[in-house]
Amino acid sequence: MEVKSVVIGVEGMTCNSCVQTIEQHVGKMNGIHNIKVSLEDKNAVIIYDSELQTPATLQEAIYDMGFDATLADSNPQPVLPDTIFLTVPTQSALTSKQICNSLLQNKGIVDVKMSSDQKTAVVTFISSIINGKQIIQMVPGVDLNISAPEVTPGTCEDSTWSQASSVVLRLKVEGMTCHSCTSTIEGRIGKLQGIQRIKVSLDNQEAVVVYQPHLITAEEINYQIEAAGFTASFKKQPRPLKLSALDLERLRYPQTKGSETALKEISNANDTKTIVFRIDGMHCSSCVLNIQSTISALPSVRSIVVSLEKKSAVINYNPNLISIDVLRRAIEAVSPETFKVSLPNEYENVALFPMLASPLKSPHPALKDASQPLTQVVVINIEGMTCNSCVQSIEGVISQKAGVKSIHVSLTNRNGTIEYDPLQTCPEDLRSSIEDMGFDASLSAKAIAQPRPEAQLESHKTEPPSKVSPTHLAQQETKTISKCYVQVTGMTCASCVANIERNLRREDGIHSILVALMAGKAEVRYNPAVIHPSAIAELIRELGFGATVMENCGEGDGILELVVRGMTCASCVHKIESTLMKTNGVLYCSVALATNKAHIKYDPEIIGPRDVIQVIKDLGFATSLVKKDRSASHLDHKQEIRQWKRSFVVSLVFCIPVMGLMIYMMVMDSQLADAHAHRNMSSEEMEALHSSMVLEYQLLPGLSVMNFLSFLLCVPVQMFGGWHFYIQAYKALKHKSANMDVLIVLATSIAFVYSFVILLVAMAEKAKVNPVTFFDTPPMLFVFISLGRWLEHVAKGKTSEALARLISLQATEATIVTLGPDNVLLSEEQVDVELVQRGDVVKVIPGGKFPVDGRVIEGHSMVDESLITGEAMPVTKKPGNTVIAGSINQNGSLLISATHVGADTTLSQIVKLVEEAQTSKAPIQQFADKLSGYFVPSIVAVSVVTLFAWIIIGFVDFEIVEKYFLGYNKSISAAEAIIRFAFQASITVLCIACPCSLGLATPTAVMVGTGVGAQNGILIKGGEPLEMAHKVKVVVFDKTGTITHGTPEVTQVKFLVEGNQLPHNKMLAIVGTAESNSEHPLGVAITKYCKKELDSETLGTCTDFQVVPGCGISCKVTNIEALLYRKNKMVEENNIKNVTLVKIEENTDESVQPALIIDAELPTTLTSHKYSVLIGNREWMNRNGLLVKNEVDKAMMEHERRGHTAVLAAVDGVLCGLIAIADTVKPEAELAVYTLKSMGLEVVLMTGDNSKTARSIASQVGITKVFAEVLPSHKVAKVKQLQDEGKRVAMVGDGINDSPALAMANVGIAIGTGTDVAIEAADVVLIKDDLMDVVASIDLSRKTVKRIRINFVFALIYNLIGVPIAAGVFLPIGLVLQPWMGSAAMAASSVSVVLSSLLLKMYQKPSAEKLEFRARGQMRHKSPSEISVHIGIDETGTGSPKLSLMDRIINYSRASINSLFSDKRSVNSIVLNEPDKHSLLVGDFGEDDDTAL
């Protein structure tokens, strides 16, 4: 009997009555188990018996009802049924046949079979239609038999014992954005009864659930995920878990003898026992109800009575079905999993059954003695062990775990061999347990089943001969570990890193993996026998990231270049090489005697550079690092500047004489012209004239002094001055492209070759009149071009100054210290900064630079971080604070622990970022590059056209040439004059056309723009965002951490009792002390406020501290008298010193009233009083019997209306204070919003917080459009929605959970997290936490784009006007250019573009003072009626209250995920119109995504 599912498309349904008609009609048909008709999807999903029905008959049945039916899927999907075992009581009123028939009449039950002894019924059913509980209720008297494994018939010859009860379900879950979402789902579903295991994958957007279908259905699981605010759908139909052949053997034949007695024992339900447990950790009656309802639901428990007063539970249970230990752990697992359960003394000697993962998973204890349990062996690789105490601690902890039979850990092999029971634990659990102890653990070979000795012989027969023992395998594996590097793209935050590392560690053959987010690189150690690098890259790609294997990565930072002094011969070399190669961690070593250099490759995980240097020093040789160039010389263009300067000087040296000769000839020509009264001379006159002129004197027939000198001066320029142009032109043509150099080479070569050929022809003809040559063109051209290039590179060097300055910030040396116990300084040594290793303790003296990023461990100082963050004020550093490499220590000495070294430091990352930005191309520049590509060929074409045009014009109408050709005289033939004129025009065209200036227009402006931005604390990632920012029309601000500070602060304290009853100072001291133990953000805010008000770093003592999630805290407070005595003493001293101070104190601070009477003379007599303190919401006060008065309630509601969280405090049973807490707005936010609006931008606030808080914040900063209660995933959709309206969007976020929205926006601006994830996801990073920089970044973008446009104008004017002039179009108006004039104009265009870009260096970011002055009197708070609030993803709807609440809960999870579902009652009783009930849990400040709390 096979059950199948088919989807039939149904057209023609109009309303729900159609749906019901189809469901009723088809549902009554024979063999139909279930039908679900969807009006929206226009289809029907039918589960049917394939022996009784076919898809065609079902389609026909729907068609007969008047609807159009089509088979959506021609292949029906088989539905895997589930199985349940029912125990039939011996004295049952019904016969086994009657039981079978009554069960089979129900929909969803596929088959019922009775065992041979008629005591057990095996029911096969479809879990999506019916569950185990419903089946039990159908037949009175039968009971669930949880001892027998549940099976699916038809999958094995023996249908009774073929498969275990668990079912695997795969669900697609949409809407998850971060790991807090996954932990929310895992936490919520994992607590449901019948769920055995759940794993949620963020990247695959899916959940894999192992559950017991007789306790919970797949639909229920789906519903629960959707109730948490996510969209869930079935990926695959649930399928039963497969067990290994050995497990099936064990389950099929537990043991021939005694199996029946075991079954009898199980069915005997009357055998019950009673036990009393002591339970600590119950707070109120809801805890009692929770435990009673959960434990009483267990089939093996007959009754349970829990007492809050006695802290006990009396349980009547069936010991055959459940053990004492399982009961104890079941109570401890009751939400919120904080109960401590112990046995009273008389029970402690009871032999507890082995601990099992779940009471429902337990194989029956009665079977325990009957068969030896199956065991498996797993080998786990363990990294990070240093000594035998590590070995012992791992063995000690793991051996205590449930199901672990034995464990042996090897320090030398770095692995642990564990024998365990697979029914109680699994390798993954064992591995994670070892990781929880602080070691890196990865699974080595697959677990090998090893039954007990009597079964071992049999198992060896079946084992393939190739298998070796896992221990041996692991030893082999560690010997053959290889390493590869994979370039990973698409990572946005730390959760991506964790996801890749977690998933790859599970793969066979992968030993360890380390992913660097900033560098976008994964370092993988793997076993080449099992897996290869391309497969590793493919695994990463499957997770949704881009991955490519880095072929010649050279193992990252594991390369060391050393200078070794003191070597004398080859034996020294051998000694060093052999010793290093024997050293653990050194992979390769090569020492050269001639150069005294050593090249060493090492594994940075095993050995550091200082260790390698020490090894060589121990051999008696002096060694030091090869100094690397840290001067940023590649950025200052020195080499290019030198090269072009040399080229210019060479050209100039030869050009000056050429120019001299040319000027001399021009002068002589003009004198002659005057003398001969402006008429052209005949050739005879020319001959006579030439012989009389010195320069025209012919050395050889046809070769004059002038031409000979010009030739001599031109050759070196052509060879040396133009050498670089020829090389570049050759390279360009080789790659089939044409650049500027091609044009220059063409122009000069044509001029030179043409002149040379003419000269040879004249000499051959022994001409009397000297030909006119172009030898003067190349030197003149090269002079102007090399001058232009030289100036251009000088300017480029200037644009890179900002970057060079950043690089020069890097320190070159570090002082490493060794600390003894109590941080006593034992020794210190000066080392090169490249030798600092992670974890080193570095000392930084006043005035010194921080060599690496680190955390302060000792000392206090002020640090100047201005060059990195742009913040002018020095920052205070004390233990625990982080420091940035390159910042300058000012006054105190500090000891820091290195956290990031080498290329991982913030400074190195910023340098890399700016470098990439300056090399990345803006879209406008890509257009320019494209243009340049077509430009050169078209100019050559214009030049050729010019040549032929003038030749044709000349021969057609010679008068034009004669009229406009400046150097023409009758001594040369008309043909020569025409050709000369045509050549001059075409060469000038080549000279003046300059794609250089086009190519320079954008990059120079982008370089200066990004450089200026970096100096002002604005990091712009390339030309694209810099150009895009000026097109932005909408600026979307995230709320928490962006508009607000992101941490709650106390805004108001209202005292509810008179000062003489409880002085205000005293109340603050008590409340501050009480909250000092709380980790809740609200508690931290209260403590911080109290310390500030009392001006004290220490408070009293807090005992009996208890926290009830969602309600509040209770505790006892002592030792506050000394604190108050000190405070009052200080006030009195001030009073005596200065009477005026008293007046000020009285006016401003009520706390100075001398209400607390303490004998100032006798401080020793202070008696310590114990105060009972309660702090929490209304519900907490009501629970503890305190009445909240109406006026207090009104005050709380007023605060809540303003988006604040109101907390009540009671001391010794008296309500004495109301504390209002809120996330406060940044001071500059209002001005920033006003300025952006005045720039013509629309400003929007987007938050996951509730609408009241959002409205309150928006009114304070002047924003009128608000999107509230937006899920993190919906932020992306919101940005997309705005973009679909045709608007360019800039998203400003604090860059952690906003990263998807930042990436989606046209310009993502990350604020205040210059060292964070934001650097990856955003386009612009504002290092300072200052909203005015948002204004500055958009302003800078506008200025830069304006500059780029001006540059294009400069570039195009030269070309558009210059080319026609050169071609001779404007000859009629007397405009004519010589070739050298063209090259001068060309050089001028490039230089003018660069100079125009450099004007950006003058940029000053808009100062807050100026903007404030301009905005004076125009900024005002908005009234609530002016603000439009849109809730959720919907534009209009109010949104589902459940969703918005869940949204807040999900996103607050980082602060209180563990306590979230702790008290089902308190969560379920949340009423939306009484926000204070959950204000402590999801306080209004706790915005969805970026609680920085």
Side-chain angles (χ1 to χ4, degrees):
M1 191 181 288
E2 195 179 0
V3 180
K4 290 191 176 179
S5 165
V6 71
V7 180
I8 297 177
V10 183
E11 292 289 334
M13 296 186 289
T14 55
C15 60
N16 276 328
S17 78
C18 301
V19 171
Q20 287 164 4
T21 310
I22 297 171
E23 285 182 347
Q24 284 166 4
H25 181 78
V26 178
K28 284 177 189 165
M29 289 169 68
N30 201 12
I32 301 297
H33 289 293
N34 189 34
I35 174 168
K36 186 87 184 106
V37 181
S38 167
L39 186 62
E40 294 80 29
D41 300 337
K42 295 185 181 172
N43 66 15
V45 182
I46 306 174
I47 298 173
Y48 65 98
D49 186 337
S50 60
E51 289 178 10
L52 299 174
Q53 295 287 355
T54 65
T57 59
L58 296 172
Q59 182 187 0
E60 198 177 321
I62 295 172
Y63 189 76
D64 291 344
M65 293 173 70
F67 300 99
D68 285 340
T70 51
L71 277 176
D73 187 2
S74 55
N75 295 328
Q77 298 296 315
V79 176
L80 287 174
D82 291 306
T83 311
I84 190 172
F85 286 74
L86 299 177
T87 306
V88 183
T90 41
Q91 60 274 38
S92 170
L94 301 169
T95 65
S96 56
K97 199 167 187 182
Q98 286 171 324
I99 290 171
C100 288
N101 290 341
S102 69
L103 284 171
L104 283 169
Q105 283 167 8
N106 294 288
K107 296 278 183 195
I109 293 181
V110 180
D111 190 25
V112 182
K113 282 187 179 157
M114 297 297 287
S115 62
S116 54
D117 58 2
Q118 303 290 308
K119 285 182 182 172
T120 308
V122 183
V123 183
T124 309
F125 64 98
I126 298 160
S127 60
S128 58
I129 303 169
I130 195 166
N131 64 27
K133 282 184 183 171
Q134 291 167 324
I135 294 172
I136 293 168
Q137 287 159 6
M138 288 172 193
V139 185
V142 299
D143 197 5
L144 176 64
N145 177 355
I146 63 163
S147 63
E150 305 188 0
V151 298
T152 304
T155 51
C156 193
E157 292 164 10
D158 182 352
S159 66
T160 322
W161 308 98
S162 63
Q163 283 198 323
S165 63
S166 303
V167 173
V168 180
L169 173 65
R170 277 183 184 273
L171 292 153
K172 181 169 179 62
V173 184
E174 290 171 312
M176 298 187 292
T177 55
C178 62
H179 279 269
S180 78
C181 301
T182 60
S183 51
T184 301
I185 297 171
E186 286 176 353
R188 183 174 182 129
I189 305 302
K191 289 192 174 81
L192 298 173
Q193 195 178 354
I195 299 293
Q196 293 176 305
R197 194 175 299 164
I198 174 166
K199 185 74 202 138
V200 182
S201 165
L202 178 66
D203 296 272
N204 301 337
Q205 294 276 308
E206 72 168 16
V208 181
V209 188
V210 179
Y211 70 101
Q212 293 180 308
H214 59 277
L215 294 177
I216 189 166
T217 64
E219 279 69 22
E220 174 65 15
I221 297 168
N222 194 35
Y223 170 75
Q224 290 290 344
I225 294 175
E226 290 194 333
F230 303 93
T231 311
S233 56
F234 296 130
K235 260 194 170 179
K236 289 182 182 169
Q237 284 296 331
R239 58 184 177 77
L241 269 178
K242 296 281 189 291
L243 283 183
S244 68
L246 280 164
D247 288 354
L248 290 177
E249 281 299 312
R250 179 192 155 203
L251 293 171
R252 207 180 282 178
Y253 313 113
Q255 213 179 30
T256 44
K257 288 179 196 166
S259 70
E260 276 190 19
T261 51
L263 278 168
K264 276 179 195 163
E265 223 176 296
I266 296 155
S267 61
N268 182 8
N270 300 326
D271 183 14
T272 61
K273 282 189 182 176
T274 302
I275 188 165
V276 181
F277 284 114
R278 176 180 168 82
I279 304 176
D280 293 303
M282 296 188 290
H283 299 301
C284 56
S285 55
S286 77
C287 299
V288 173
L289 287 170
N290 230 352
I291 295 171
Q292 282 182 347
S293 61
T294 308
I295 302 302
S296 61
L298 296 175
S300 49
V301 174
R302 296 280 173 268
S303 67
I304 174 169
V305 180
V306 181
S307 165
L308 181 62
E309 293 75 31
K310 295 178 186 170
K311 297 186 176 175
S312 68
V314 182
I315 305 175
N316 182 278
Y317 71 103
N318 183 346
N320 296 328
L321 298 181
I322 198 161
S323 69
I324 297 171
D325 192 63
V326 173
L327 271 177
R328 180 179 65 76
R329 292 182 351 108
I331 299 170
E332 286 183 341
V334 173
S335 171
E337 299 180 20
T338 54
F339 303 117
K340 296 279 178 285
V341 183
S342 55
L343 284 166
N345 296 338
E346 65 265 26
Y347 285 100
E348 277 178 5
N349 299 327
V350 175
L352 298 181
F353 288 108
M355 293 200 290
L356 300 168
S358 152
L360 299 163
K361 278 193 261 183
S362 61
H364 190 258
L367 300 177
K368 184 172 183 286
D369 302 314
S371 72
Q372 287 288 0
L374 175 89
T375 61
Q376 291 193 345
V377 173
V378 69
V379 178
I380 296 177
N381 296 319
I382 306 169
E383 291 292 322
M385 298 186 291
T386 53
C387 58
N388 273 326
S389 81
C390 300
V391 171
Q392 286 163 5
S393 68
I394 294 172
E395 286 180 345
V397 172
I398 302 302
S399 62
Q400 299 297 315
K401 277 189 74 66
V404 174
K405 306 290 181 216
S406 69
I407 174 169
H408 171 70
V409 178
S410 164
L411 182 63
T412 46
N413 299 333
R414 295 197 205 150
N415 65 20
T417 309
I418 306 171
E419 187 186 355
Y420 67 97
D421 182 347
L423 292 170
Q424 295 187 36
T425 186
C426 67
E428 185 54 36
D429 286 347
L430 296 169
R431 186 195 66 74
S432 63
S433 299
I434 296 172
E435 282 209 331
D436 291 343
M437 295 175 69
F439 301 96
D440 284 340
S442 57
L443 292 174
S444 147
K446 286 192 174 165
I448 295 168
Q450 288 202 339
R452 291 278 177 206
E454 53 268 35
Q456 224 155 22
L457 193 71
E458 202 179 326
S459 72
H460 274 305
K461 290 175 200 165
T462 57
E463 202 174 291
S466 61
K467 263 192 188 170
V468 283
S469 86
T471 328
H472 179 64
L473 207 73
Q475 284 173 3
Q476 265 189 332
E477 190 177 344
T478 40
K479 282 178 195 165
T480 59
I481 292 291
S482 297
K483 194 192 283 188
C484 70
Y485 288 84
V486 182
Q487 187 78 50
V488 184
T489 55
M491 297 188 291
T492 55
C493 61
S495 76
C496 301
V497 172
N499 179 36
I500 294 171
E501 288 183 347
R502 190 178 59 251
N503 281 291
L504 260 69
R505 279 200 193 111
R506 291 183 189 151
E507 298 295 333
D508 285 344
I510 291 183
H511 192 268
S512 70
I513 174 168
L514 183 72
V515 181
L517 175 67
M518 292 295 213
K521 193 167 79 173
E523 176 188 307
V524 187
R525 296 175 73 191
Y526 65 99
N527 182 354
V530 181
I531 196 166
H532 49 91
S534 56
I536 295 170
E538 186 51 46
L539 288 170
I540 297 174
R541 278 196 287 274
E542 280 171 14
L543 295 173
F545 301 94
T548 47
V549 180
M550 297 163 80
E551 294 298 339
N552 47 1
C553 183
E555 313 227 330
D557 39 358
I559 291 178
L560 198 56
E561 293 277 355
L562 298 174
V563 176
V564 184
R565 306 249 172 246
M567 297 186 293
T568 53
C569 60
S571 74
C572 299
V573 171
H574 175 70
K575 188 176 171 186
I576 295 171
E577 284 182 350
S578 60
T579 309
L580 280 174
M581 287 308 285
K582 282 179 201 157
T583 307
N584 186 21
V586 175
L587 308 171
Y588 165 80
C589 170
S590 160
V591 181
L593 181 64
T595 58
N596 283 343
K597 278 190 181 169
H599 180 80
I600 299 148
K601 270 190 191 173
Y602 64 94
D603 184 343
E605 289 174 25
I606 300 171
I607 195 168
R610 290 209 305 283
D611 309 327
V612 174
I613 288 174
Q614 196 53 50
V615 169
I616 299 173
K617 280 185 177 166
D618 292 345
L619 294 173
F621 302 98
T623 180
S624 61
L625 271 179
V626 173
K627 289 291 174 209
K628 285 191 182 165
D629 176 27
R630 290 202 195 89
S631 61
S633 56
H634 62 293
L635 295 170
D636 56 16
H637 297 268
K638 275 188 183 153
Q639 194 188 340
E640 291 94 334
I641 291 171
R642 207 167 35 245
Q643 179 189 315
W644 287 113
K645 189 180 177 181
R646 190 168 58 236
S647 180
F648 169 68
V649 170
V650 168
S651 304
L652 189 68
V653 164
F654 293 102
C655 176
I656 289 170
V658 171
M659 284 176 89
L661 292 174
M662 198 172 78
I663 291 165
Y664 173 75
M665 286 306 290
M666 283 162 85
V667 170
M668 293 304 287
D669 276 354
S670 64
Q671 285 180 356
L672 287 171
D674 290 344
H676 291 273
H678 302 288
R679 64 180 176 76
N680 272 327
M681 291 179 283
S682 63
S683 50
E684 291 80 15
E685 286 174 327
M686 272 303 277
E687 273 178 45
L689 183 69
H690 276 193
S691 55
S692 69
M693 280 169 65
V694 181
L695 289 176
E696 292 293 354
Y697 173 72
Q698 289 195 340
L699 300 169
L700 292 169
L703 178 66
S704 67
V705 175
M706 169 77 181
N707 282 344
F708 182 62
L709 285 176
S710 298
F711 174 72
L712 287 182
L713 292 169
C714 186
V715 170
V717 175
Q718 197 71 23
M719 293 303 159
F720 302 111
W723 176 247
H724 185 70
F725 292 101
Y726 278 98
I727 289 172
Q728 293 301 97
Y730 168 70
K731 283 179 183 167
L733 291 169
K734 198 166 87 176
H735 292 107
K736 295 186 180 154
S737 70
N739 61 2
M740 196 54 229
D741 300 303
V742 174
L743 278 188
I744 295 161
V745 165
L746 265 178
T748 55
S749 305
I750 289 170
F752 181 77
V753 171
Y754 169 76
S755 305
F756 187 59
V757 169
I758 275 189
L759 207 58
L760 290 178
V761 168
M763 287 167 71
E765 288 177 352
K766 296 189 166 56
K768 297 281 191 303
V769 177
N770 301 318
V772 178
T773 55
F774 282 127
F775 285 126
D776 56 341
T777 303
M780 304 277 270
L781 255 179
F782 284 133
V783 161
F784 285 110
I785 288 159
S786 43
L787 173 65
R789 291 274 170 104
W790 176 35
L791 294 175
E792 184 187 311
H793 281 288
V794 168
K796 272 188 189 168
K798 288 268 193 302
T799 62
S800 306
E801 258 176 15
L803 191 50
R805 195 175 301 141
L806 273 177
I807 291 176
S808 67
L809 287 178
Q810 291 169 333
T812 52
E813 287 194 323
T815 307
I816 290 181
V817 297
T818 314
L819 297 179
D822 300 329
N823 283 359
V824 177
L825 215 66
L826 299 181
S827 68
E828 58 178 73
E829 63 168 324
Q830 201 74 8
V831 299
D832 197 286
V833 74
E834 280 155 18
L835 296 180
V836 178
Q837 299 164 12
R838 184 175 287 185
D840 281 345
V841 178
V842 180
K843 179 181 173 186
V844 185
I845 54 167
K849 278 182 191 168
F850 288 93
V852 291
D853 287 5
R855 188 168 280 107
V856 179
I857 52 176
E858 200 175 281
H860 285 69
S861 181
M862 301 295 281
V863 174
D864 177 11
E865 295 180 347
S866 61
L867 285 159
I868 294 156
T869 63
E871 187 61 71
M873 291 293 289
V875 186
T876 311
K877 298 288 177 190
K878 54 180 189 282
N881 290 20
T882 52
V883 291
I884 306 173
S887 51
I888 297 161
N889 186 16
Q890 289 191 336
N891 43 24
S893 197
L894 291 177
L895 288 184
I896 65 164
S897 168
T899 54
H900 292 91
V901 297
D904 298 332
T905 63
T906 305
L907 185 62
S908 302
Q909 292 299 331
I910 290 175
V911 167
K912 183 171 153 235
L913 191 70
V914 179
E915 270 181 339
E916 283 170 1
Q918 298 197 339
T919 51
S920 72
K921 289 181 177 176
I924 198 165
Q925 185 189 343
Q926 286 157 6
F927 163 73
D929 291 351
K930 211 174 188 179
L931 200 66
S932 296
Y934 297 119
F935 188 83
V936 174
S938 58
I939 287 297
V940 172
V942 169
S943 170
V944 171
V945 167
T946 306
L947 178 73
F948 287 111
W950 279 114
I951 289 174
I952 292 163
I953 290 168
F955 282 114
V956 171
D957 188 356
F958 181 65
E959 280 178 21
I960 295 175
V961 175
E962 191 177 14
K963 184 176 176 185
Y964 295 121
F965 188 18
L966 301 179
Y968 170 67
N969 50 41
K970 277 187 175 169
S971 61
I972 55 174
S973 67
E976 190 183 343
I978 291 164
I979 289 168
R980 267 196 57 201
F981 182 67
F983 258 99
Q984 181 178 312
S986 71
I987 287 171
T988 310
V989 168
L990 286 181
C991 292
I992 200 165
C994 173
C996 264
S997 50
L998 269 180
L1000 286 171
T1002 309
T1004 51
V1006 167
M1007 282 179 97
V1008 180
T1010 49
V1012 166
Q1015 280 173 331
N1016 284 304
I1018 303 166
L1019 296 181
I1020 300 167
K1021 296 168 93 172
E1024 197 163 344
L1026 187 65
E1027 191 200 327
M1028 183 55 76
H1030 89 284
K1031 296 178 183 171
V1032 165
K1033 288 285 171 276
V1034 182
V1035 180
V1036 179
F1037 281 100
D1038 170 46
K1039 181 179 77 73
T1040 307
T1042 305
I1043 290 280
T1044 65
H1045 285 105
T1047 49
E1049 290 175 10
V1050 174
T1051 53
Q1052 189 187 3
V1053 176
K1054 189 181 172 84
F1055 298 96
L1056 305 177
V1057 291
E1058 294 300 320
N1060 52 7
Q1061 285 179 21
L1062 180 69
H1064 299 154
N1065 260 6
K1066 189 173 183 178
M1067 189 198 119
L1068 290 176
I1070 292 169
V1071 171
T1073 305
E1075 287 285 15
S1076 61
N1077 276 20
S1078 170
E1079 289 175 7
H1080 197 288
L1082 298 185
V1084 174
I1086 292 171
T1087 305
K1088 187 176 167 188
Y1089 173 78
C1090 294
K1091 283 181 176 177
K1092 186 175 150 198
E1093 286 297 305
L1094 297 167
D1095 195 18
S1096 167
E1097 272 303 304
T1098 54
L1099 296 168
T1101 312
C1102 175
T1103 51
D1104 297 345
F1105 182 82
Q1106 286 189 333
V1107 61
V1108 176
C1111 290
I1113 63 156
S1114 69
C1115 65
K1116 304 276 189 288
V1117 169
T1118 50
N1119 296 342
I1120 59 159
E1121 283 75 9
L1123 167 71
L1124 295 170
Y1125 173 74
R1126 283 200 304 274
K1127 172 80 176 166
N1128 280 23
K1129 185 89 174 149
M1130 215 157 61
V1131 172
E1132 279 174 31
E1133 282 171 9
N1134 285 356
N1135 292 351
I1136 295 160
K1137 280 181 196 167
N1138 194 334
V1139 184
T1140 56
L1141 272 181
V1142 178
K1143 290 175 185 168
I1144 294 165
E1145 287 278 349
E1146 281 173 356
N1147 292 343
T1148 57
D1149 192 354
E1150 303 167 65
S1151 64
V1152 201
Q1153 296 167 4
L1156 188 70
I1157 300 160
I1158 295 170
D1159 189 349
E1161 299 301 309
L1162 300 167
T1164 48
T1165 62
L1166 290 177
T1167 52
S1168 183
H1169 185 74
K1170 188 178 261 195
Y1171 302 93
S1172 173
V1173 185
L1174 291 168
I1175 303 173
N1177 55 16
R1178 290 185 188 85
E1179 189 184 347
W1180 185 234
M1181 295 300 156
N1182 294 339
R1183 267 201 211 182
N1184 287 283
L1186 291 173
L1187 193 68
V1188 180
K1189 291 179 188 168
N1190 273 347
E1191 57 266 31
V1192 177
D1193 199 43
K1194 275 181 191 163
M1196 287 181 81
M1197 284 167 79
E1198 176 54 30
H1199 280 300
E1200 281 152 8
R1201 191 186 62 72
R1202 301 215 311 263
H1204 299 177
T1205 304
V1207 177
L1208 295 168
V1211 177
D1212 290 338
V1214 178
L1215 211 56
C1216 62
L1218 183 146
I1219 304 165
I1221 305 164
D1223 184 6
T1224 52
V1225 171
K1226 289 180 184 171
E1228 77 278 5
E1230 192 181 0
L1231 179 63
V1233 169
Y1234 173 79
T1235 311
L1236 288 169
K1237 284 185 168 180
S1238 64
M1239 287 164 78
L1241 301 172
E1242 183 187 346
V1243 183
V1244 176
L1245 180 69
M1246 181 150 62
T1247 173
D1249 215 336
N1250 62 39
S1251 52
K1252 282 193 293 189
T1253 310
R1255 194 187 289 272
S1256 163
I1257 298 291
S1259 72
Q1260 289 176 54
V1261 295
I1263 295 177
T1264 51
K1265 191 171 185 184
V1266 178
F1267 296 118
E1269 297 178 24
V1270 183
L1271 284 163
S1273 55
H1274 291 166
K1275 285 193 174 183
V1276 183
K1278 269 282 170 234
V1279 171
K1280 186 85 181 70
Q1281 201 175 311
L1282 289 167
Q1283 288 171 333
D1284 291 343
E1285 291 169 20
K1287 296 170 180 170
R1288 300 282 167 88
V1289 180
M1291 169 81 192
V1292 187
D1294 66 346
I1296 298 169
N1297 290 46
D1298 298 320
S1299 53
L1302 287 171
M1304 170 58 76
N1306 300 82
V1307 180
I1309 302 175
I1311 196 161
T1313 42
T1315 61
D1316 211 317
V1317 178
I1319 285 191
E1320 286 297 309
D1323 303 304
V1324 178
V1325 181
L1326 311 179
I1327 297 179
K1328 279 193 296 179
D1329 194 355
D1330 184 355
L1331 288 175
M1332 291 310 296
D1333 282 356
V1334 176
V1335 178
S1337 57
I1338 293 174
D1339 185 52
L1340 177 63
S1341 162
R1342 289 181 175 185
K1343 294 273 197 308
T1344 308
V1345 171
K1346 187 177 168 191
R1347 187 57 54 195
I1348 291 173
R1349 286 176 179 158
I1350 292 170
N1351 288 353
F1352 269 120
V1353 169
F1354 271 122
L1356 291 168
I1357 278 178
Y1358 280 103
N1359 290 329
L1360 295 177
I1361 297 174
V1363 171
I1365 294 176
V1369 174
F1370 298 110
L1371 273 187
I1373 57 168
L1375 264 180
V1376 69
L1377 288 180
Q1378 298 293 331
W1380 66 269
M1381 292 168 160
S1383 66
M1386 180 177 93
S1389 79
S1390 294
V1391 173
S1392 61
V1393 162
V1394 172
L1395 290 175
S1396 156
S1397 291
L1398 281 177
L1399 288 175
L1400 260 183
K1401 284 194 96 103
M1402 318 278 283
Y1403 174 78
Q1404 293 286 318
K1405 85 176 176 188
S1407 73
E1409 291 77 21
K1410 272 187 194 165
L1411 292 171
E1412 260 172 23
F1413 181 74
R1414 233 180 275 166
R1416 189 175 294 165
Q1418 293 176 344
M1419 284 195 297
R1420 63 180 183 84
H1421 285 196
K1422 300 286 179 191
S1423 69
S1425 60
E1426 292 177 85
I1427 299 166
S1428 66
V1429 178
H1430 308 268
I1431 290 180
I1433 190 72
D1434 234 2
E1435 266 297 327
T1436 49
T1438 53
S1440 150
K1442 181 166 70 182
L1443 245 186
S1444 68
L1445 174 61
M1446 274 315 299
D1447 180 18
R1448 279 175 281 169
I1449 292 173
I1450 289 161
N1451 299 303
Y1452 193 69
S1453 56
R1454 237 175 308 169
S1456 55
I1457 185 70
N1458 296 328
S1459 65
L1460 197 51
F1461 296 97
S1462 61
D1463 192 338
K1464 282 181 187 165
R1465 187 174 168 203
S1466 69
V1467 172
N1468 295 340
S1469 65
I1470 288 168
V1471 183
L1472 283 172
N1473 59 3
E1474 281 186 47
D1476 70 298
K1477 287 196 176 174
H1478 62 272
S1479 58
L1480 257 180
L1481 175 63
V1482 292
D1484 295 333
F1485 57 86
E1487 189 196 337
D1488 60 296
D1489 34 328
D1490 8 51
T1491 335
L1493 307 179

